Structure formats: structure tokens, C-alpha cells
Amino acid sequence: MNKMRHKADATGQLLRLLEWFCPPELYEGIAGDLLEKFEVEVKLLGMKKARRNFFWGVIWFFRPEIILRNKLSFNPINIIMLKSHLKVAGKRIWARKTNSFVNISGLTLGIVCTLIIAMVIRYELSFDSYHSNADRTYRIVRVSQIEGQLEYRTGVVPALPIALRNDLSGLEKVTAMSYQRNAQVNVIDDKGNTIEKFQEGEGCAIVDESFFEVFDFNGTNFKWLLGDAKSALTAPNTVVLTRSIAEKYFQGINVLGRIIKLEKMLDLKVTGIVEDLPANTDFPFKLLMSHATLQQWRGDSFVTDWNSLSDVYQSYVVLREGVSKTDIEQQIAQIHAANVFKEISSFRSYVLQPLAQVHSDVRFGNYNLRIVTVESIWALGIIGGFLLVMICINFINLSTAQAITRSGEVGIRKVMGSTRWQVVGQAITETLLMIIIASAVAMMASTLILNKAQPLIGFDIPNEPYADGFVWVCLLILIVVITGLAGIYPALVLSRYRPVQAMKKNLDTSSGGFRLRRILLVTQFTIMQILIISTFIAVRQMHLFKEVNMGFDKEAVINVEIPNRSEDKLATFRNDMLSLSSIDKVSFSLSLPSGLKRPRWFWDIRKKGTDASENLVYEYQSVDHQYLDLYDIKLLAGRGFIEADGTDYIIINQTLSSDLGFANPGEAVNSQVIVNGQTMTVIGVMQDFYSNSFKEHFDKVGLVKSPPDYRLASLKLNGPDGKVASYDNLRQSLEYIKRKWDEHFPESVFTYSFLDENVEAFYKEEARLSRLFQLFSFVFLMIGCLGLYGLVSFIVNRKTKEMAIRKVLGASVSQILLLFSKDYLRQIAVAFVLATPVAYYLMSAWLNGFAKQIELHWWYFVGPGVFVLFTALLSVGGQTWKSATANPSNKLRNE
Amino acid sequence: MKEYLGEFEELVLTIVGILREEAYGNAIVAEIRERVGREVNLSAVHVTLYRLEDKGYVTSQMGGVTKARGGRRKRIFTITNAGLVMLRTMKDVRIDLWKLIPQLNYE
């Protein structure tokens, strides 16, 4: 007997599962066969094994051939009940407008945000994932060990891809490419005259003929409109244009054989037109020059060049199937070691970086200059999840609180013969109806919002939400998940009521999960406060980026690229600029003190008298004698440049000085150093300034006065009253500068940038995230308060009489307010206590990513906490106040 | 030939023909194991039987109640005339084809 029960226990649940998915007419035969097999196996193999086999036996039957044999049985009773459920649900939603409004708007807000988050995440993960060989494609990146620190760079030497292509059998394809920002493009007519000039800030690339084999943009709209991948990019001086660029230059795409002139010196023949590359690629190319062009331009030594490095010259490889990444890395190391000096190969190595990480690894850059880390994707995902939790909690809180008002209905239903499951069905139908209404509103809202929110999200979502299958799938999943999370528990609570008790209505508000409601509220407020505190701190940190002193003056500086570097030309340009009253100072230089977009050259330096192995890599900058003054860079010792200085003087920064082994700045002055083999005298040591973003530390920087290397002019603006120029002023100045520019350099396009914007560009991604977080904090606060409002207005309504009687008996308004609010206040306080350590932990981890960070003051936590408390009080207090100040006789009279 | 029968379907159909009144799921699995030496999954056999039933090559009815099997009846399958015709045609076609292979001696 005992044994039999044991057996029944072992199989019972699984049989029930089988019965659930198996068509009824087949069930008996199948269950019998399974049981028979089980009985035999218990004797043969023992209980444990037999049970396991039985389990798998049942699971094996869970297959479409069986499940799809279920006939959809339409029990007429079910249809009638569904109709009635829908009708009742509709009526109830309509009858309790406040409640329904609170519920539906909370749900809508949550669904809109979750949908947008899902779209953003999908977009960010889709970058370059569509190429046929994406999983086997790697970028060759450079990792150097310099003074115990690892330096991560993207550039490779030109000879490396060539050597790999010839020597490594494990590579299927190798491609090399380069990229140029700010290229001037002249459109040339048949007779060689310039028709129009364009300045391309982005998109000018140099690719070889294998580029489109490695990156085939399979599954996007990309295709060749004219020309073909095989022949278009083989010859020197050829270029492939994207459709939109061709239309911009030639007002049409039928332009094979036309000529464009690059940077006023290179004639390129159009040999192909391709469809625009998709937005979700880190190869934002618009003009694709043939690699042979670069090769011809740089001469024969280019292919054997194992030394010159530029971060834009990158190489991608496709591994053969089954070839391991480490093998290839070892082979690359061998080739590299065989071709360069031992000193170089000892600290520099080439590593393969998977294509999927090009978009997400902050240590290396990409051509887009936009990196989205895996962490920020996770952060977004978690926020989406929390949003779901928030709206579900709202829903559960409101529904369980209100279950009490439905007790009578449930009682009657049960007396009339409703089963518990029918009551559950009714409650879930109502939830589902509400969620569907919310989804419909959300769908419309997200279409509207997405158009407006694009600058905030930071990219174009190509599809309208309703035209995107992915969105519909997400929406469906959301509906199911929310119904499951939010609908089932209240329905179960409701259906548990016993008819007699329920009809007597002697249930109080504390029934139906009063404790659960408390826990949920605390959870909700904890999540909310974590987010709000974190956002507050993130905003403070973003503020720091903008405001803090970087070691140089970045305000009101305009940078202009200069095409002609002859000294007298620059001198007249400078004089012309200075003749304008609003321009205070003018300086010429190779680069800028800082900023995302600027030329960067790296040279070797060592103390005179030391060995070549002591060489340090430092950032070489060529500046004129005005530079330090214009940027207000402080000297610690020695002097700045004067006009008469030659090219053999150098000013180094503090970090470089101490890394070279000088005990103090004073000692460095007048000593001799060797820079790229040439002896120079240190004339000054300047204070460190941030040449990178605050995510990194100071770099080693040295300044030399070498006019042939000047690339940029810096113009310091000065308002009439000595302050920074106003907007009108600025526009006037810019117009003037452009006019003068056109006089001096008629063949070039005038382009300028503001240094402070260039520096802020470092934090574009952080700024975007911080804006998103601000938005989400607001949404969380809204949803939380909405829920609280709904809950309180319900309870206050239920307790109007209690309030009235208390008042009649002499309670003051403030006493009543306190009585009804203190519970919520306590919960918010508990939530604050829980949220603070979590937020502290999260934000210190985030801040650790920056070399310069804000201190976490106590009020960064208390401030947002008080803010949440205040907002919550407003939503609770308004309701309570109305009831508490009402005339008690009005409330008590109607009975 | 209008209808097509897969290899496994043909095997199961043949076994149903062999087993006659004793043709139900477990027995077919055991018979295949014994005669062909092939381990097949019970669910696969069931699915195939239902498919054969849809095609009209077998019929089924519930057997008598027994004490074993938790009191559940067996679903007994019988081969129909159409099933027999099908089996025979398939066999004939195969033999005809076999005859077309040049008869080689492997001595």
C-alpha cells in the first residue's frame, strides 16, 4: 500500500502535466504505456532510475506533433462567460475612473519606457553584428607595456597587414583601412575647374579591395548601385561614394568616371556608388578611397614600414574556421619580432579584438568615437526590469487594496455556483483589458515620443515602432509578463473570499495582503531612491567635467584649421585677426591642449647621456610663442617661447619632467634631452593639464616651436567689456573671420570649432546616459507617486467616516494628517535606509572610472531622499488634507 | 505513388502488421528493439502511429482494462487494407529496383 502511494507520488504530478498538454482522447493510451514502462523499470532498474526515465518519457511527449493534436474546444459556456467577464471588466474600469486612470497611466508610462529601452538595447547590440563572418572577424589592436602601465591603441604599422596576408595561412581575409576627419573635397568638372567645395567632417575612409569581403553588410539595405566590389577599389586614385554623398556632390548617382579633388591635391576618379552604409555600424564611411591611393602617395617604403603608427590606420582579419585566436596572436608576435628592433617587440604586442567589442570596449576607440559599454547596456536593461517591477507593484497594491470592495460581488458569484477559477478568470480578464488599453496608448505615445526623443537617446531609430516586428513581439511579451506578475496575485486574493463572510462585508482593509503591500511599497521606494540618488550624483559629476579647471583656459576659444603654413602668410593672417576688437589673442599650433578631435603626434624623448632603451613616448606638440599665454598654461620653472626661439628648445610638462628623472622642475631647466635623435634644450617646465578626458590621467607632453608643423589657429575672443563675447558679438566675429579667411585662403573651406565643445565631446556618452537617467528618475518618481496617490485616495475614501468621528471627538486636522501619513512616511524612511548603501556602492564604483571625481558628500544622499519624501507627502497629503478639513457633518449625515 | 511513407513509418507499420492484436506503444518499441536492434523513443512511436492513423493505414481502439498500467487501457493499433496495400507496393517497388542493380558477386 505504502509502496503504491509512493509510486503514485512519483508519477502523479508528471501525469497531470501530461494530461494538461495531451489531447484527451490520446491521454489514456499514452499514460498507460508510460506507466507500464515505469512499472517494469522500477523492478529492473530501481526507483530512482525509473523515475528519471518516466520524467524524460513525459517530456519527450511534449512535442508539436502531440500538442497540435489538441482541438480548440469551444465550450459555449466559456464563450458566454468570457463575454460576461469582458462586459463586467469594461463596466468596472469605466465606473472607477480615478483608479483606472491611475492604473492605466502608470502602465502606459512603464510600457512606453520599457519598449524604448528594448529598442535602444537592440540598436546598440546590433552594431556590425550582421556581417556574414562577424563572429570570426577581429581587429588587430596594439597593447604596449610602458612603465608598468598598459597602453591600448588601435593603430598598426602598414607592413603588418601585408605580412599577415602573405604569411599566415590561418587567416581567411585581411583588410587594412584608414580614416580621415575634416577633409576638403572639391568637385571638378570636365575641364578641371572646381565647381564646388565641401568640407567633410566625417566619413572619409581609405579601404582596400578586401574591405567589402570582410564587411559585407549582409542583411542590411546595403548594395552596390554602380560598379562592383572587385574592381572599384584596386587601382590608385579611385573612390567609391555612397548614394547620399553622390547626390550631394553631383545631384545624381550616375557619376562613374567623374573626378573629385581631395585636400586640394589628390584627384580621385569615381569608380563605384554604393547604398548608404547603415546607421548601426562603427564604419561610418561616406567616401571610400582605394588603399592603393595611399600606397602610391606614400611611396614604396610604405609597404615595408614597420615603425610609423597612427591610430586611424587599422587592420581587421577574418580567421579561418576552427583556427584559434591565441594561435594567430602567437604567429603575429613572431612576425612582429622578426621585423622590428628587440626593444620594441619586448614591450609592444598585437592582440586580436573581436569585432563585437569594437562598439563596447572603452580602452580602444572606433571611427564613430562612440563607445557604449556593456555596463551601460546592463544598466539600461536593469532599469527596464525595475520599471516593470514598479508598475506591477503599483498594480498589485491598488488591486489588493480594492479587492475588499469586490467582496460582495465575489460572494454572490460563488453562491450562484461560480468556481474559484472562474472568479480568477474574471479578475484576470479585467487586468488584461486594462493592460491592453495601456499597450494601445503606449504604442501611439511611443511613436510620438520617439520622434521627439531622438536627440536625447542620441541616435535615429530607423523604424516607426508600429512598423517594427520586434516592437510587437516585445509588447506581447510585456503584456504576458505584466498580466502574470500583476494580475495573478490579486486574482487569487479575491477568489479566496468565503461567500458568507464576503457578503457580510466584515473584512477590513488589512486583509488581502496588507503586509505584502507594505513590503512592496518599501521595495518600490527603495528602487526609486537608488535611482534618484544615483542620478543626482551623476549630474554632479557631469557638472564637474564642465566646470573644473583642466589646467588651461578653454573658454571662448575658436579653433580654425589653417591650410597654408608659410610664415609670412600666417603673420598677415594673425595681424588681420588681431585688428578685430573682439579677438584678443591669436596663436598657431599643431594641436590643442585637449579635446576629442585634435591631431596627436607621439615622439621619443630621453635625457642626454642615457641609452636609447631609456626612451619615453611623449606627446609632441608644436606651438608658437603666444600659445602658453592664450591658453593660460602656467609655468613652474624656466620661461616660455619668445619669437626668436629656434626649433631646438623644448618646454616639458611636470609629469614628463619627473618621468625623465628630474628631481624638481628647476633642475630640468637648461638640461639637454634627445628628442627623436635630435638634441634639445629644456627651457621651461609647465604645470600639468588634462590633455585627455578625466577618465585618464595626465599625459607626458612636450612643446616645441616648429612652424612647419602648425595645423590650427586658436583665436581667443574678447567681448567689448572684457568679458566673454555675447551671442551677437560671436556671430559678428565669426562672419568677420570667415571673410578674412576667404581673402587669405580662397581655395579652402572655412571650418571652425569651439574648444569647450571639443572638450565636452569627451563626455558625450556620459552626458547622454546622464540625460537618460534623469528622464528615468522622473518616470520612476511619477509611477511611484501615482501608485501612492491611488492607494491613499482609496484608503481615505474608505475612512472618511473614521476621520469625521475623530474630528467630532476633537482631533485636530494636523493630528489626522499625521495619523494617516505616518505609515507611509515610515515606509519611505525604511526605503531610504535601504537605498543609501546600495546607491553609495554603485556610485563609488562608477566614479572610480574617472581620474578626477567628486567627493560624495552626505547631502548628495539626504538631498534626494528629502526630495522623494516631499513629493510623496504631496501626493498623500493632498488627499488626506481634503478629507481632514471637510465638514464632518457632511460625511456622517448620509446613512 | 500518391502517398509517401518514410522509413520509420514503414518500419512501425510493418511491426503493427506483425504484432496484430498486441500492437500498442510499448510492444512496438520492444519489438523494434528485438528484431531490428534499434532503440527508439516511445513518443516517436506514438507520434508515428497517430500519423499513420491520419493517413488511414492503421486504425485504433482501446483495449480491455487491466490491473497494470494504473488501470489505464491500451490503445491497440491494427493495420488496414490500405496499409497492407501500401506495404506490399513499397516492397514490390524495392524489389524491382533491386533487380536493376548489376548483380555483383562479392566472393
Side-chain angles (χ1 to χ4, degrees):
Chain A
M1 185 64 204
N2 210 357
K3 206 175 160 195
M4 251 177 83
R5 168 168 304 160
H6 193 51
K7 252 192 234 170
D9 280 353
T11 57
Q13 267 189 335
L14 286 166
L15 282 177
R16 238 171 290 146
L17 176 72
L18 183 69
E19 195 172 358
W20 175 68
F21 68 74
C22 181
E25 68 276 11
L26 299 182
Y27 170 70
E28 188 175 354
I30 292 175
D33 275 6
L34 282 168
L35 277 174
E36 182 186 314
K37 186 163 166 258
F38 177 72
E39 280 158 10
V40 174
E41 282 179 349
V42 167
K43 287 188 198 111
L44 279 175
L45 306 169
M47 193 63 182
K48 223 170 121 190
K49 248 189 149 164
R51 205 148 60 177
R52 200 164 62 218
N53 285 347
F54 186 78
F55 169 76
W56 286 112
V58 171
I59 296 301
W60 269 110
F61 273 96
F62 191 79
R63 52 202 291 170
E65 296 97 319
I66 297 285
I67 296 163
L68 293 180
R69 276 176 195 278
N70 278 304
K71 292 188 191 69
L72 277 179
S73 58
F74 283 111
N75 192 336
I77 288 291
N78 286 346
I79 293 194
I80 293 167
M81 283 312 287
L82 187 69
K83 262 191 190 161
S84 130
H85 284 342
L86 273 176
K87 209 159 137 190
V88 172
K91 276 183 180 162
R92 283 187 55 88
I93 291 175
W94 187 244
R96 330 183 132 260
K97 290 189 198 67
T98 321
N99 172 43
S100 307
F101 177 77
V102 166
N103 256 336
I104 291 179
S105 45
L107 284 171
T108 307
L109 204 56
I111 293 175
V112 168
C113 290
T114 335
L115 276 183
I116 292 180
I117 287 178
M119 287 174 86
V120 171
I121 291 181
R122 177 182 63 154
Y123 178 80
E124 297 296 359
L125 292 181
S126 72
F127 268 71
D128 292 299
S129 60
Y130 36 73
H131 305 296
S132 302
N133 296 322
D135 54 330
R136 285 185 286 135
T137 308
Y138 294 85
R139 175 165 71 177
I140 305 180
V141 291
R142 201 168 87 233
V143 180
S144 310
Q145 174 106 34
I146 295 168
E147 299 135 46
Q149 279 193 331
L150 290 175
E151 186 189 64
Y152 302 91
R153 297 280 172 205
T154 49
V156 298
V157 292
L160 185 71
I162 298 168
L164 296 186
R165 199 173 292 138
N166 297 334
D167 299 347
L168 285 198
S169 57
L171 299 180
E172 196 171 296
K173 279 158 199 154
V174 178
T175 183
M177 63 185 81
S178 189
Y179 190 70
Q180 196 187 350
R181 297 202 166 80
N182 282 328
Q184 186 183 337
V185 180
N186 293 2
V187 179
I188 308 287
D189 69 3
D190 305 339
K191 298 178 193 77
N193 301 323
T194 302
I195 306 171
E196 217 173 336
K197 292 180 288 185
F198 294 95
Q199 185 77 21
E200 294 301 338
E202 295 291 336
C204 193
I206 298 162
V207 300
D208 61 14
E209 59 270 30
S210 356
F211 176 77
F212 284 107
E213 291 170 19
V214 177
F215 304 103
D216 57 6
F217 295 94
N218 195 9
T220 65
N221 289 328
F222 175 81
K223 61 173 184 283
W224 282 78
L225 300 171
L226 292 169
D228 64 273
K230 289 223 167 48
S231 59
L233 287 164
T234 47
N237 301 324
T238 56
V239 67
V240 170
L241 305 180
T242 58
R243 174 207 281 273
S244 51
I245 278 287
E247 281 166 355
K248 177 171 152 196
Y249 292 172
F250 303 104
Q251 293 79 45
I253 61 162
N254 228 336
V255 293
L256 288 192
R258 293 292 298 265
I259 306 286
I260 58 172
K261 204 188 225 353
L262 191 77
E263 296 288 67
K264 291 176 294 183
M265 50 190 179
L266 210 53
D267 280 336
L268 301 169
K269 194 169 86 174
V270 178
T271 50
I273 305 289
V274 293
E275 191 59 73
D276 289 352
L277 303 189
N280 52 348
T281 179
D282 284 316
F283 305 95
F285 300 166
K286 295 188 282 194
L287 295 91
L288 301 98
M289 267 181 279
S290 68
H291 189 264
T293 316
L294 181 70
Q295 214 155 323
Q296 196 187 51
W297 182 252
R298 300 271 287 269
D300 290 340
S301 64
F302 182 67
V303 292
T304 54
D305 188 347
W306 282 94
N307 293 310
S308 57
L309 284 163
S310 159
D311 277 346
V312 287
Y313 194 86
Q314 306 185 358
S315 174
Y316 287 79
V317 296
V318 179
L319 266 51
R320 273 187 207 289
E321 214 106 39
V323 173
S324 93
K325 175 174 160 252
T326 34
D327 283 354
I328 295 293
E329 280 171 350
Q330 273 165 11
Q331 287 165 1
I332 293 177
Q334 280 166 12
I335 293 178
H336 183 233
N339 282 291
V340 296
F341 293 119
K342 202 164 163 276
E343 291 88 53
I344 294 180
S345 63
S346 67
F347 71 82
R348 179 182 294 165
S349 58
Y350 289 100
V351 181
L352 295 184
Q353 177 195 30
L355 180 62
Q357 289 173 15
V358 169
H359 192 61
S360 63
D361 193 337
V362 282
R363 296 174 303 174
F364 307 98
N366 59 33
Y367 293 139
N368 248 341
L369 297 178
R370 196 169 81 81
I371 304 272
V372 178
T373 57
V374 179
E375 288 81 17
S376 44
I377 295 276
W378 270 108
L380 267 184
I382 289 172
I383 287 195
F386 277 161
L387 259 176
L388 269 184
V389 172
M390 292 277 287
I391 55 178
C392 289
I393 288 180
N394 259 0
F395 201 92
I396 292 174
N397 277 346
L398 281 176
S399 313
T400 51
Q402 293 192 335
I404 190 78
T405 62
R406 312 186 54 171
S407 58
E409 179 198 331
V410 173
I412 303 248
R413 274 179 190 278
K414 282 197 170 171
V415 168
M416 300 298 281
S418 223
T419 64
R420 187 176 172 194
W421 298 112
Q422 277 171 327
V423 175
V424 169
Q426 154 68 42
I428 289 196
T429 314
E430 193 180 317
T431 311
L432 194 62
L433 191 64
M434 242 187 276
I435 293 172
I436 288 174
I437 295 174
S439 304
V441 181
M443 216 45 192
M444 287 185 273
S446 54
T447 309
L448 286 176
I449 288 171
L450 267 184
N451 287 330
K452 300 254 179 288
Q454 260 158 16
L456 197 70
I457 307 169
F459 61 84
D460 293 339
I461 292 178
N463 283 346
E464 295 284 352
Y466 56 81
D468 191 345
F470 171 80
V471 174
W472 288 105
V473 172
C474 283
L475 195 63
L476 201 70
I477 294 174
L478 277 181
I479 292 177
V480 172
V481 169
I482 298 174
T483 316
L485 286 180
I488 286 176
Y489 179 74
L492 288 179
V493 168
L494 196 64
S495 67
R496 222 168 29 210
Y497 289 149
R498 288 164 200 283
V500 178
Q501 258 180 339
M503 278 193 289
K504 273 191 187 155
K505 287 204 177 181
N506 63 355
L507 302 156
D508 64 339
T509 32
S510 65
S511 74
F514 184 66
R515 285 212 11 223
L516 180 91
R517 221 150 46 224
R518 248 189 201 168
I519 295 169
L520 290 181
L521 261 184
V522 170
T523 316
Q524 208 179 24
F525 273 92
T526 309
I527 295 174
M528 196 160 96
Q529 296 207 5
I530 292 174
L531 191 74
I532 290 174
I533 294 174
S534 306
T535 309
F536 188 72
I537 292 174
V539 170
R540 299 296 313 170
Q541 174 75 13
M542 294 311 295
H543 194 66
L544 176 85
F545 290 152
K546 277 189 194 163
E547 298 303 312
V548 86
N549 182 11
M550 295 184 78
F552 63 91
D553 185 8
K554 65 182 185 327
E555 301 306 327
V557 177
I558 299 180
N559 298 116
V560 184
E561 265 190 75
I562 44 171
N564 189 323
R565 289 155 210 154
S566 74
E567 287 202 47
D568 42 335
K569 196 91 188 171
L570 293 184
T572 48
F573 181 67
R574 183 204 300 269
N575 287 337
D576 262 352
M577 289 294 111
L578 286 175
S579 68
L580 184 69
S581 66
S582 63
I583 294 182
D584 190 29
K585 285 165 195 150
V586 177
S587 167
F588 298 108
S589 56
L590 162 66
S591 183
L592 304 170
S594 184
L596 188 63
K597 292 179 186 176
R598 67 190 180 99
R600 303 193 75 173
W601 292 13
F602 293 91
W603 280 13
D604 289 337
I605 190 170
R606 66 177 197 266
K607 248 176 167 169
K608 190 165 185 177
T610 54
D611 190 57
S613 63
E614 302 277 305
N615 266 339
L616 301 176
V617 177
Y618 82 104
E619 181 172 351
Y620 164 88
Q621 292 193 2
S622 172
V623 301
D624 68 359
H625 59 282
Q626 297 275 338
Y627 192 78
L628 292 184
D629 182 35
L630 188 147
Y631 284 111
D632 197 20
I633 297 171
K634 304 269 182 308
L635 280 168
L636 297 174
R639 63 173 179 91
F641 291 120
I642 53 168
E643 205 159 358
D645 278 337
T647 56
D648 51 352
Y649 291 121
I650 184 168
I651 298 174
I652 57 178
N653 73 348
Q654 206 178 346
T655 307
L656 182 54
S657 159
S658 61
D659 281 1
L660 280 171
F662 295 113
N664 58 58
E667 194 190 308
V669 176
N670 290 329
S671 60
Q672 309 258 296
V673 289
I674 297 180
V675 176
N676 270 23
Q678 191 197 345
T679 306
M680 290 192 183
T681 309
V682 178
I683 56 163
V685 176
M686 57 185 172
Q687 204 169 34
D688 282 331
F689 54 85
Y690 281 94
S691 52
N692 296 310
S693 73
F694 287 132
K695 288 171 250 180
E696 296 166 67
H697 286 276
F698 300 116
D699 260 358
K700 298 184 275 291
V701 182
L703 311 179
V704 172
K705 185 165 168 291
S706 167
D709 290 338
Y710 294 161
R711 296 278 189 280
L712 296 165
S714 306
L715 312 173
K716 175 89 177 173
L717 296 179
N718 196 1
D721 52 350
K723 274 197 230 146
V724 174
S726 71
Y727 177 73
D728 274 348
N729 237 303
L730 188 67
R731 214 181 46 197
Q732 273 172 13
S733 313
L734 279 173
E735 269 164 21
Y736 175 81
I737 297 169
K738 181 170 180 346
R739 218 168 42 240
K740 284 289 161 193
W741 168 276
D742 286 341
E743 279 171 27
H744 285 278
F745 313 108
E747 64 282 16
S748 303
V749 183
F750 173 70
T751 48
Y752 66 93
S753 61
F754 290 98
L755 183 61
D756 49 355
E757 286 175 8
N758 197 350
V759 170
E760 268 171 39
F762 278 133
Y763 315 111
K764 216 169 104 197
E765 209 38 52
E766 278 83 5
R768 189 175 80 111
L769 271 180
S770 141
R771 278 200 306 273
L772 267 182
F773 272 74
Q774 285 173 56
L775 178 77
F776 284 130
S777 309
F778 177 70
V779 168
F780 271 55
L781 195 64
M782 281 272 285
I783 293 181
C785 289
L786 217 55
L788 203 58
Y789 173 84
L791 198 62
V792 169
S793 62
F794 168 75
I795 289 178
V796 164
N797 264 339
R798 299 271 306 164
K799 298 205 168 174
T800 35
K801 281 196 187 128
E802 183 187 330
M803 279 191 196
I805 292 170
R806 278 179 192 277
K807 236 182 144 181
V808 169
L809 292 179
S812 69
V813 172
S814 57
Q815 275 172 328
I816 292 177
L817 277 181
L818 190 68
L819 188 71
F820 282 90
S821 310
K822 72 168 185 229
D823 206 33
Y824 300 104
L825 296 187
R826 200 161 47 213
Q827 282 163 36
I828 291 170
V830 170
F832 176 72
V833 170
L834 291 175
T836 308
V838 181
Y840 178 80
Y841 173 79
L842 285 177
M843 291 325 278
S844 0
W846 184 72
L847 287 175
N848 273 337
F850 302 102
K852 187 138 192 149
Q853 38 182 275
I854 50 165
E855 270 175 69
L856 291 175
H857 294 296
W858 60 269
W859 58 271
Y860 285 0
F861 297 92
V862 175
V866 170
F867 173 67
V868 170
L869 191 70
F870 187 70
T871 326
L873 267 184
L874 271 183
S875 53
V876 175
Q879 291 285 314
T880 326
W881 177 263
K882 216 167 76 191
S883 264
T885 50
N887 187 348
S889 64
N890 289 342
K891 302 277 172 188
L892 289 172
R893 202 163 45 191
N894 52 359
E895 184 123 330
Chain B
M1 198 159 36
K2 234 169 53 194
E3 279 280 2
Y4 169 80
L5 221 49
E7 181 266 344
F8 191 65
E9 286 176 310
E10 190 190 343
L11 177 66
V12 172
L13 185 58
T14 318
I15 302 286
V16 171
I18 296 170
L19 286 175
R20 287 157 179 267
E21 285 85 30
E22 269 306 296
Y24 68 100
N26 280 339
I28 294 171
V29 173
E31 195 73 8
I32 292 178
R33 184 187 302 128
E34 218 161 88
R35 293 193 185 268
V36 192
R38 196 163 139 186
E39 201 59 55
V40 295
N41 196 294
L42 182 63
S43 67
V45 170
H46 269 265
V47 167
T48 313
L49 284 170
Y50 303 143
R51 197 156 52 225
L52 288 172
E53 197 172 7
D54 290 344
K55 292 181 179 175
Y57 299 140
V58 296
T59 56
S60 71
Q61 60 278 317
M62 301 310 286
V65 184
T66 48
K67 232 178 151 186
R69 299 168 58 93
R72 287 174 176 83
R73 292 172 297 167
K74 293 171 183 168
R75 181 175 286 272
I76 308 280
F77 290 84
T78 9
I79 192 162
T80 60
N81 280 334
L84 274 174
V85 171
M86 184 71 185
L87 271 186
R88 192 164 296 133
T89 338
M90 286 192 79
K91 190 197 75 184
D92 292 345
V93 168
R94 194 151 307 153
I95 286 173
D96 287 347
L97 285 174
W98 178 241
K99 281 181 190 153
L100 293 177
I101 300 181
Q103 295 300 305
L104 298 171
N105 285 324
Y106 294 101
E107 295 302 325

